[in-house]
Amino acid sequence: MVAAPDSLVWELVKNNNSFMRKKNGRSSRSGSIRFSVERGNLTSRSTYKYSGLANSKTIDVTATDDNRATLTLKTKKAGTSGKKGMTGIALNKDFRRTEKTIKSQATDNYYRPDLKNAALAKYTAVYKSNRVAKGVKKVAPVKKGRN
C-alpha cells in the first residue's frame, strides 16, 4: 500500500466507506448523524479526529472474551500490514493502575494526547460492563413508577 498523508486519506473516506452508519435525525433541524464502526475509533463518530482509518496513530479500548479490556495502538508499519499493524496492551489491573497506563500511553510519550479523555471514558464503560458480566455488580433495576 502506498503511504499517503492522513488528511488525504480522510478526504477520500469521509463521505463513503464500508464502516459508516448513517442515522436520520428525528426532525428536519437535527439532520442526519454519521457513525463509524472501524477499529481504532473511540467514540464511533465519523470525524477526522477519531477516525481509525485516516489517522496514522490511533488508540482503542476494547473488551475481550474473558471480560477484561485491551488497549490497542497502531504501530508504525500499520499502513502496509493491515490487522497485524496493531499492538495490544492488556488492561487487567485495578481501575487506578489501568487509568495510569492509559494516560501514560496517550500523553507521556506524545502518542495522541487529544484522545486521553475519550479513551478513559470508553475504558470506564468497558469496565462497568465487564463487572456486570462477571457478576460482581448487579444490573440496576428499572423504575416502574408508582404502585
Side-chain angles (χ1 to χ4, degrees):
M1 187 170 172
V2 177
D6 293 348
S7 57
L8 175 63
V9 173
W10 175 246
E11 288 298 320
L12 295 173
V13 301
K14 75 177 178 181
N15 290 325
N16 198 8
N17 64 58
S18 63
F19 300 106
M20 189 175 297
R21 306 288 184 264
K22 293 181 182 178
K23 300 285 183 185
N24 287 332
R26 293 182 183 246
S27 67
S28 60
R29 287 179 28 185
S30 62
S32 66
I33 302 168
R34 294 187 303 178
F35 293 104
S36 184
V37 293
E38 79 246 10
R39 293 174 62 186
N41 192 330
L42 280 170
T43 61
S44 297
R45 279 191 253 155
S46 182
T47 60
Y48 176 67
K49 178 180 179 178
Y50 298 114
S51 176
L53 295 172
N55 288 307
S56 56
K57 294 180 177 182
T58 62
I59 298 174
D60 196 14
V61 178
T62 54
T64 59
D65 294 333
D66 59 343
N67 294 329
R68 297 192 182 263
T70 303
L71 178 70
T72 309
L73 305 169
K74 228 183 215 187
T75 60
K76 289 192 178 197
K77 51 186 172 179
T80 57
S81 59
K83 284 187 177 181
K84 296 177 194 168
M86 302 281 220
T87 182
I89 300 168
L91 302 176
N92 53 10
K93 304 279 186 193
D94 61 64
F95 190 85
R96 286 187 184 169
R97 286 184 183 174
T98 303
E99 181 184 14
K100 184 178 176 189
T101 301
I102 293 171
K103 284 181 181 178
S104 67
Q105 289 296 321
T107 59
D108 291 351
N109 58 3
Y110 304 105
Y111 191 74
R112 284 290 300 269
D114 59 326
L115 296 180
K116 179 187 78 165
N117 290 335
L120 289 173
K122 186 161 183 185
Y123 175 70
T124 302
V126 168
Y127 181 77
K128 284 181 181 178
S129 67
N130 284 345
R131 285 177 58 89
V132 170
K134 287 179 186 176
V136 175
K137 187 169 179 151
K138 303 288 184 202
V139 179
V142 179
K143 295 184 178 180
K144 298 179 182 175
R146 295 181 190 168
N147 285 337

